[in-house]
Amino acid sequence: PLVTIFQNAAKIDAKLRIDRPLAIFNYYSDTSGIFDADPHDSNRALFTNPAIQSHLDVSIVLDPVIDIPSQNKGDYYTGGESPKLLQYGVTFLRDIKSKYPTLEKRNVALWGENIKGKSIFVCRFVRPNGLAPPADVIDMDRNPGDGTAIEKVVRYVSMIPFKEDNMLFKDLPDIWCTSQEFLDLKGGDYEEHAILLCNYFKYIDYKKGRGDDYKSYVVLGHGVPEGYTVYVLRREVATNMVELWNACTGEGFFFRRTQTGVKCPCWTLQTGEETESDTTCGLQKIGVLFDDTDAWINIQKYENPSTISFDIDDPKLWKPFLGGKADKHFPKGIAYVVPERLEYEPTSPDWVVYLERDLQDYLEGKYRQRRNDLSLAPGKPFRGFDDTLRKSLKNFEVYKFQSRNGAVRSRMRDSLNDDLAKNGLRELSESMMKDITNGLGVGASQDMDIYGFPINLTYTSHERVWETVETTDFHRIVGDELTYSILVGITPYPNYICSVWVYLTAFVKSRKREQAPN
């Protein structure tokens, strides 16, 4: 967005992660080394490893620089908090920004406006022990040792549709919905996704008996490409190493800073610092962290996650808003705006069956219509391996549900072993691709070229799914004896959240034999 460019002075340098298909026929992730005997081992062609990601380096320069007025995050709307607390917040922000002028350009806020247009203290959106996810996602009572609980809730939250506030609430300021309102509306923007995921993280760590060792916070900052954004930070208290999560996309990033030194009987001589930073993290600037107890302002000189310290117990680095004055402003304790338990709506299986069939008919109709508009032959639909692909699409979702999208080297994971090997996901992925390869072989003879790949997105509308399909230019494939397949698979989650998979496949007569050497 243009506003992102305006908010980042004269230049933006960023790595943008490419949303690559989980599997692309005849492509694979190159993990070979220069001394490998066979760098093009065909067995690896069965799987594009999502842990090996693709990025696009972007550099944008604005000349001349356009300075836009920053939002006044200190403004408030009465009725949600006591006038005394609101006025204290105004004074606090005014004084701290006067002392640290760099805060003027950071995303610093203490209030979120609820659906009634009243300012609410941000900490009231997060519960002390978090909130339980739906049992269909994780059930910590029946399976407290679930080793992929974090990954599963990340996947579920990222599947909830992203909707800007101006789509849901017209003529209102930036609205902060509670986690229950977010689920009921079946959509929200950055803060709703982040707050729900933070509550889920806190619940998982509480149920695993490590709530004092791992702390989760909501992060207000600036990101690329979104501009003002909200992430989730999960921190190991003893070491201050952290995971940052983009709750809207499900992407994770790991950061660690460890002091090194020589230990002697009476003292330790510090000799340096070991760091691990994910340079692909879209979060560029951090302004505020908050949880259920307090909000901390980043008063450090630096603001990028790779350069700042996450020791929030150090008031020289992070300025607490309440500090030791929580009882003064909340004598009866902080009253949270979300109930102790969330209510989830089961998704009707009959509705899912209808949606899957109707969406497939719609996509096939749009495909034929676009080819007709381009004066291209319609091609012949092929159903020879629908069962194989349908099975594979379900396995794709199982894979995405249990594996990480980033932060794969995090030392905070429940297991430091490779996700793929630990959970049998590598075998599952290879089995998926073998099934697809065998299925494609049914539909194509040796003189046919094959194009095929899956698309995955959350369901919001038929039109949105077609827009995604259309951007691939699948409808522009030309060739003799064209046959094609468009297969839809839908995995439902509670509250009518649906993960849509579309597998696109096309066969055309090969031209290789026509290109014989002279």
Side-chain angles (χ1 to χ4, degrees), residues 138-155:
I138 60 168
D139 191 336
M140 298 301 295
D141 293 324
R142 293 186 177 183
N143 185 18
D146 190 341
T148 56
I150 292 293
E151 290 77 9
K152 290 173 181 176
V153 297
V154 168
R155 174 64 174 173

Side-chain angles (χ1 to χ4, degrees), residues 355-474:
L355 177 63
E356 191 172 87
R357 185 186 308 114
D358 191 61
L359 179 57
Q360 179 152 329
D361 291 342
Y362 175 82
L363 294 179
E364 290 178 342
K366 294 294 289 186
Y367 171 82
R368 291 190 295 268
Q369 177 186 329
R370 288 294 289 121
R371 289 189 68 84
N372 182 65
D373 294 342
L374 296 170
S375 300
L376 298 174
K380 180 181 179 181
F382 179 74
R383 298 295 187 192
F385 54 94
D386 279 13
D387 291 341
T388 299
L389 285 183
R390 201 176 302 279
K391 173 186 173 183
S392 297
L393 292 180
K394 291 185 180 298
N395 287 337
F396 283 154
E397 183 62 32
V398 172
Y399 181 93
K400 296 284 281 188
F401 185 54
Q402 299 184 47
S403 61
R404 286 196 165 208
N405 183 13
V408 293
R409 293 183 176 84
S410 171
R411 303 189 181 193
M412 299 171 60
R413 296 167 59 184
D414 287 323
S415 172
L416 294 181
N417 295 328
D418 179 13
D419 257 349
L420 306 177
K422 174 177 178 289
N423 299 297
L425 294 180
R426 185 181 298 281
E427 291 78 6
L428 173 62
S429 63
E430 292 179 353
S431 174
M432 289 188 293
M433 295 310 300
K434 287 178 180 178
D435 288 344
I436 292 175
T437 302
N438 293 335
L440 292 175
V442 174
S445 60
Q446 293 183 355
D447 62 346
M448 301 291 283
D449 289 332
I450 307 173
Y451 305 88
F453 52 89
I455 295 173
N456 179 228
L457 69 163
T458 188
Y459 179 77
T460 53
S461 67
H462 285 22
E463 292 78 13
R464 179 69 184 93
V465 178
W466 169 249
E467 287 174 5
T468 304
V469 171
E470 189 176 24
T471 59
T472 69
D473 278 346
F474 177 73

Side-chain angles (χ1 to χ4, degrees), residues 235-254:
R235 163 178 167 254
E236 186 179 67
V237 176
T239 63
N240 289 316
M241 59 183 175
V242 302
E243 293 176 348
L244 279 166
W245 291 92
N246 184 329
C248 299
T249 64
E251 296 171 294
F253 310 91
F254 177 65

Side-chain angles (χ1 to χ4, degrees), residues 245-514:
W245 291 92
N246 184 329
C248 299
T249 64
E251 296 171 294
F253 310 91
F254 177 65
F255 297 86
R256 179 179 70 92
R257 299 178 68 182
T258 304
Q259 298 293 333
T260 59
V262 178
K263 290 187 177 181
C264 297
C266 300
W267 47 272
T268 299
L269 174 64
Q270 292 188 355
T271 59
E273 185 178 62
E274 293 181 355
T275 63
E276 287 184 55
S277 298
D278 194 332
T279 59
T280 67
C281 181
L283 184 63
Q284 303 288 300
K285 304 175 183 179
I286 293 180
V288 178
L289 305 179
F290 70 86
D291 64 2
D292 58 290
T293 62
D294 206 345
W296 293 265
I297 315 299
N298 175 22
I299 57 175
Q300 300 172 67
K301 177 182 178 181
Y302 303 105
E303 52 197 359
N304 189 282
S306 62
T307 56
I308 66 176
S309 168
F310 289 99
D311 183 7
I312 68 170
D313 296 323
D314 187 343
K316 295 180 180 179
L317 305 175
W318 297 91
K319 181 69 173 178
F321 171 59
L322 293 177
K325 303 177 181 178
D327 293 340
K328 176 181 178 181
H329 295 286
F330 300 98
K332 297 182 179 180
I334 296 177
Y336 302 99
V337 295
V338 63
E340 292 184 6
R341 296 183 64 86
L342 296 174
E343 295 183 2
Y344 298 98
E345 181 182 5
T347 303
S348 168
D350 293 338
W351 178 81
V352 175
V353 172
Y354 165 78
L355 177 63
E356 191 172 87
R357 185 186 308 114
D358 191 61
L359 179 57
Q360 179 152 329
D361 291 342
Y362 175 82
L363 294 179
E364 290 178 342
K366 294 294 289 186
Y367 171 82
R368 291 190 295 268
Q369 177 186 329
R370 288 294 289 121
R371 289 189 68 84
N372 182 65
D373 294 342
L374 296 170
S375 300
L376 298 174
K380 180 181 179 181
F382 179 74
R383 298 295 187 192
F385 54 94
D386 279 13
D387 291 341
T388 299
L389 285 183
R390 201 176 302 279
K391 173 186 173 183
S392 297
L393 292 180
K394 291 185 180 298
N395 287 337
F396 283 154
E397 183 62 32
V398 172
Y399 181 93
K400 296 284 281 188
F401 185 54
Q402 299 184 47
S403 61
R404 286 196 165 208
N405 183 13
V408 293
R409 293 183 176 84
S410 171
R411 303 189 181 193
M412 299 171 60
R413 296 167 59 184
D414 287 323
S415 172
L416 294 181
N417 295 328
D418 179 13
D419 257 349
L420 306 177
K422 174 177 178 289
N423 299 297
L425 294 180
R426 185 181 298 281
E427 291 78 6
L428 173 62
S429 63
E430 292 179 353
S431 174
M432 289 188 293
M433 295 310 300
K434 287 178 180 178
D435 288 344
I436 292 175
T437 302
N438 293 335
L440 292 175
V442 174
S445 60
Q446 293 183 355
D447 62 346
M448 301 291 283
D449 289 332
I450 307 173
Y451 305 88
F453 52 89
I455 295 173
N456 179 228
L457 69 163
T458 188
Y459 179 77
T460 53
S461 67
H462 285 22
E463 292 78 13
R464 179 69 184 93
V465 178
W466 169 249
E467 287 174 5
T468 304
V469 171
E470 189 176 24
T471 59
T472 69
D473 278 346
F474 177 73
H475 59 283
R476 293 179 180 270
I477 294 177
V478 295
D480 296 334
E481 301 179 17
L482 170 68
T483 59
Y484 68 91
S485 171
I486 300 176
L487 187 73
V488 174
I490 295 178
T491 299
Y493 291 98
N495 280 67
Y496 286 82
I497 307 303
C498 290
S499 174
V500 175
W501 289 87
V502 183
Y503 208 107
L504 306 173
T505 315
F507 310 95
V508 295
K509 189 174 181 179
S510 177
R511 297 182 179 180
K512 294 178 181 178
R513 296 184 180 181
E514 302 174 5

